[in-house]
Amino acid sequence: MIARKRLGDLLQEAALVNEDQINEALTNKTDNQKLGDALLEHGYITERQLIEVLEFQLGIPHVSLYRYPIDENVLGFVSKEMAQQNYIIPLKIQDNALMIAMRDPMDYYIIDDLEMATGFSISPVIAAKDDILYAINKYYFKNEAEMTEENTGEEDEAPVIRLLDQLLNTGIQLKASDIHIDPQERNVNVRYRIDGRLQTEKLIPKQMQNSLIARIKILADLNITQTRLPQDGRIKTTVGVTPVDLRISCLPTVHGEKIVIRILDLNNALMHLNELNFSDENRKKYNQLITQPSGLVLLTGPTGSGKTSTLYASINQLNSENVNIVTVEDPVEFQLEGINQVQVNSAVGLNFASGLRSILRQDPNIIMVGEIRDQETAEIAIRASLTGHLVFSTLHTNSAIDTIPRLIDMGIEPYLVVSSLSGIVAQRLVRKLCRDCLMEREPTKMEKEIFLNNGAEVDHLYYGQGCSVCHQQGYRGRIAVQEVLTVDETIKSMLLNNKSIAEIRSYAKKQGMVFLIQDGLEKVKSGLTSMEEIMQISIRL
């Protein structure tokens, strides 16, 4: 029988946390949150440290499920729902005991319940949370898919409903941003975009393709008879206990309609500016920009670089009852309390430009334009910023400084650009190194040179070795890398005198501007990300 100890005592005995940290975690944790989860959230311990303490102190072995030979015959002892809810999965029967991988082997209530329900004594082993989720999705889904394949009668909708629920559940648990349903000649691939990388998780039988696509289109209120034109829709629903907003995009391909489901987790939707990985200097400069009473603040970067998250965090910080904030977006990503959000609707002639014109008659203090796509929208946004409004928007450019010629190329008069522009933030997302398998290594000669060229030195770098916590990837989550350009009087004067972008860049550098590559290298140096990730996003080494 396991000696029944308390987790807080075990962690204190191992000198990983002190009493103050435990008390703080207990005070701030949500009602159903376990102490271990609260300590992980605060960053006081890593999941690997937690596993090692439990393994050492309780004498319970730790297993990696990445290539573990799970006996599929024992899955029936634990329902999929119970497995997902409690982060457990049965592995095999050994010495008349049922071996169960558990995220929390100190959950004695679950162990007692399992012993009562199965008639076996339970032999717990420890596994990482994400490791268990991957195994649940892999094995339980496989069994369900086989049952579904045998029972695909046209009159029976239940298998398709279960299948879609499973796909969405998996997406939420894996923290995927998108689910790709790709019809191929013989089957249908399901891929999840996790931390910016696509990975194939499942194959669906070809005969389920049409009913699955029809199910998604019905929920998204799309025309199910239209299969030859692209369509877009949205579904607001709850997956398990997680409220989500799903963006649906259908695209006709030679093997049928490809569907991409963008998942917006409404629980984790809104971030605070302090959570966006700004360096201290960049955060200070950005806060100065957004607290000005008027002017144009632009966020730039490619699709999927986190521009929208930064925009929402900015206007959420400025949101108070004495300011009128109006947005025009396509689409409205997250609905914010106390902010007036307008959804673009091209079908009735409501585009960014016409929406923006109407907003100006609504006595706004702060305006957010989802994206500047054309000259007309750019001109109205600029004129709004010149008439006492603070205007936020986004643009697709490679760097902060490259945004200025981009606006002029759109046909905006240089004097208008100069007068209105307060500042520009360029942003990229890079994968974050897994804290549990972080390893040091020597930098190469070329890497040392890159640091030296950017005014820094480095003695050691970090990489993720790959572990059960990050599913052998070496990375877990993403962080932002930014550069912030404040358009001061000198830059305005240089623009009016037709100085080159190279000269403006040189001036900004002298003023201490931290460029994308430099911000990235600082984050490499502090072990947040790897050199490989920064090399992929950098445009000037």
Side-chain angles (χ1 to χ4, degrees):
M1 186 68 196
I2 302 167
R4 301 204 165 190
K5 294 186 179 182
R6 293 190 311 173
L7 179 62
D9 297 336
L10 292 181
L11 292 169
Q12 276 185 272
E13 282 170 31
L16 287 174
V17 292
N18 57 41
E19 200 168 337
D20 290 344
Q21 290 171 325
I22 287 176
N23 289 335
E24 190 184 339
L26 287 168
T27 308
N28 296 328
K29 78 182 186 72
T30 55
D31 290 345
N32 299 321
Q33 195 176 33
K34 293 187 176 180
L35 174 62
D37 289 335
L39 290 166
L40 285 169
E41 204 172 89
H42 280 75
Y44 295 145
I45 55 171
T46 68
E47 193 162 0
R48 185 183 234 180
Q49 287 173 329
L50 183 58
I51 287 170
E52 283 171 356
V53 164
L54 294 172
E55 188 175 19
F56 177 72
Q57 301 277 20
L58 302 177
I60 298 174
H62 162 235
V63 297
S64 169
L65 302 179
Y66 186 52
R67 290 204 175 94
Y68 195 92
I70 292 176
D71 179 358
E72 294 182 38
N73 296 318
V74 301
L75 293 175
F77 287 115
V78 177
S79 71
K80 182 186 74 177
E81 289 68 31
M82 187 180 187
Q84 286 177 322
Q85 204 173 340
N86 299 292
Y87 304 111
I88 59 175
I89 187 167
L91 303 181
K92 60 185 175 185
I93 293 170
Q94 187 175 311
D95 303 330
N96 286 328
L98 178 60
M99 188 187 284
I100 300 265
M102 305 181 70
R103 196 257 175 115
D104 179 8
M106 299 179 76
D107 194 334
Y108 305 116
Y109 293 113
I110 289 292
I111 292 174
D112 291 346
D113 287 351
L114 287 168
E115 286 182 341
M116 290 278 289
T118 64
F120 285 98
S121 63
I122 298 299
S123 165
V125 292
I126 310 166
K129 175 183 167 184
D130 283 1
D131 216 9
I132 292 172
L133 287 177
Y134 272 97
I136 289 170
N137 288 313
K138 180 179 174 183
Y139 286 96
Y140 281 97
F141 181 85
K142 184 178 169 188
N143 286 359
E144 281 195 357
E146 283 166 5
M147 284 165 56
T148 302
E149 200 168 345
E150 292 162 19
N151 179 20
T152 51
E154 290 299 317
E155 73 287 345
D156 186 4
E157 288 185 352
V160 173
I161 294 169
R162 281 203 308 271
L163 174 59
L164 182 57
D165 285 349
Q166 176 68 31
L167 294 180
L168 295 176
N169 254 315
T170 305
I172 296 290
Q173 287 166 352
L174 300 182
K175 295 185 174 62
S177 59
D178 302 86
I179 304 173
H180 289 242
I181 298 170
D182 296 335
Q184 304 298 313
E185 192 172 355
R186 291 191 176 85
N187 50 37
V188 180
N189 284 354
V190 177
R191 298 186 294 168
Y192 293 89
R193 190 176 290 282
I194 301 163
D195 295 337
R197 298 287 194 281
L198 271 176
Q199 53 194 59
T200 301
E201 285 293 323
K202 298 176 175 63
L203 293 177
I204 295 173
K206 187 72 175 174
Q207 61 264 39
M208 294 205 67
Q209 176 181 317
N210 291 342
S211 48
L212 175 62
I213 288 169
R215 172 79 185 152
I216 294 168
K217 287 168 84 170
I218 288 165
L219 290 175
D221 203 18
L222 299 177
N223 181 355
I224 60 167
T225 61
Q226 177 56 269
T227 58
R228 293 185 297 178
L229 287 174
Q231 292 187 75
D232 294 305
R234 67 188 292 178
I235 305 168
K236 202 164 185 177
T237 184
T238 301
V239 177
V241 293
T242 310
V244 290
D245 208 342
L246 306 174
R247 293 288 142 69
I248 311 297
S249 173
C250 304
L251 184 73
T253 71
V254 289
H255 296 303
E257 286 178 280
K258 171 182 164 70
I259 290 193
V260 176
I261 302 172
R262 164 68 55 93
I263 302 172
L264 301 170
D265 180 347
L266 299 179
N267 278 344
N268 303 317
L270 203 54
M271 298 174 83
H272 195 271
L273 272 181
N274 294 336
E275 300 173 89
L276 295 177
N277 314 109
F278 277 103
S279 65
D280 291 342
E281 191 179 328
N282 279 346
R283 186 188 296 118
K284 190 175 159 192
K285 283 165 77 174
Y286 187 61
N287 272 323
Q288 284 172 348
L289 284 178
I290 68 172
T291 47
Q292 292 177 7
S294 64
L296 179 62
V297 178
L298 291 175
L299 281 102
T300 79
T303 305
S305 57
K307 299 188 297 292
T308 306
S309 296
T310 307
L311 268 186
Y312 276 120
S314 308
I315 61 170
N316 197 47
Q317 181 165 308
L318 298 170
N319 187 13
S320 66
E321 60 182 30
N322 59 356
V323 292
N324 179 20
I325 302 177
V326 190
T327 75
V328 54
E329 306 168 61
D330 181 24
V332 171
E333 297 269 352
F334 303 116
Q335 290 168 18
L336 305 177
E337 192 71 35
I339 289 172
N340 310 287
Q341 293 170 277
V342 178
Q343 166 87 43
V344 165
N345 184 350
S346 305
V348 295
L350 176 56
N351 55 24
F352 279 119
S354 60
L356 196 44
R357 273 197 203 90
S358 304
I359 284 172
L360 290 172
R361 295 193 284 274
Q362 291 277 318
D363 184 31
N365 301 93
I366 298 167
I367 299 167
M368 180 186 115
V369 185
E371 189 184 335
I372 290 178
R373 293 179 183 169
D374 52 43
Q375 181 184 350
E376 190 181 10
T377 310
E379 275 184 352
I380 303 166
I382 282 170
R383 290 186 192 282
S385 69
L386 291 173
T387 52
H389 304 93
L390 180 61
V391 181
F392 290 94
S393 193
T394 68
L395 206 62
H396 291 261
T397 61
N398 279 334
S399 70
I401 291 172
D402 289 340
T403 306
I404 298 169
R406 172 86 178 94
L407 284 170
I408 294 168
D409 288 346
M410 285 175 99
I412 311 298
E413 292 291 340
Y415 75 90
L416 283 175
V417 175
V418 168
S419 317
S420 63
L421 208 49
S422 300
I424 306 159
V425 179
Q427 184 168 303
R428 300 285 190 284
L429 290 180
V430 293
R431 288 187 296 171
K432 189 177 179 182
L433 285 171
C434 172
R435 288 172 60 207
D436 291 272
C437 58
L438 197 66
M439 304 290 283
E440 277 189 22
R441 69 171 174 84
E442 285 285 313
T444 64
K445 188 182 173 191
M446 182 185 166
E447 286 167 341
K448 284 182 175 176
E449 280 175 14
I450 290 169
F451 271 89
L452 281 171
N453 291 343
N454 286 281
E457 289 185 15
V458 67
D459 301 321
H460 55 265
L461 295 176
Y462 299 90
Y463 70 98
Q465 191 178 28
C467 64
S468 57
V469 174
C470 61
H471 202 59
Q472 312 302 325
Q473 298 292 313
Y475 297 95
R476 200 163 178 228
R478 289 193 291 176
I479 58 165
V481 174
Q482 299 105 341
E483 62 182 22
V484 182
L485 172 69
T486 304
V487 182
D488 61 16
E489 291 306 318
T490 307
I491 291 179
K492 289 180 178 183
S493 158
M494 290 172 86
L495 281 166
L496 286 173
N497 290 314
N498 294 323
K499 298 288 183 188
S500 71
I501 293 302
E503 288 172 288
I504 294 172
R505 186 175 285 109
S506 173
Y507 166 76
K509 192 175 180 180
K510 281 179 193 159
Q511 294 303 301
M513 178 178 166
V514 177
F515 293 98
L516 271 176
I517 174 66
Q518 293 164 327
D519 190 46
L521 292 176
E522 278 304 311
K523 282 164 182 168
V524 167
K525 211 171 168 181
S526 56
L528 286 171
T529 188
S530 69
M531 200 66 188
E532 290 74 18
E533 285 291 294
I534 297 302
M535 298 285 273
Q536 285 183 33
I537 63 112
S538 177
I539 52 168
R540 283 185 183 82
L541 289 174

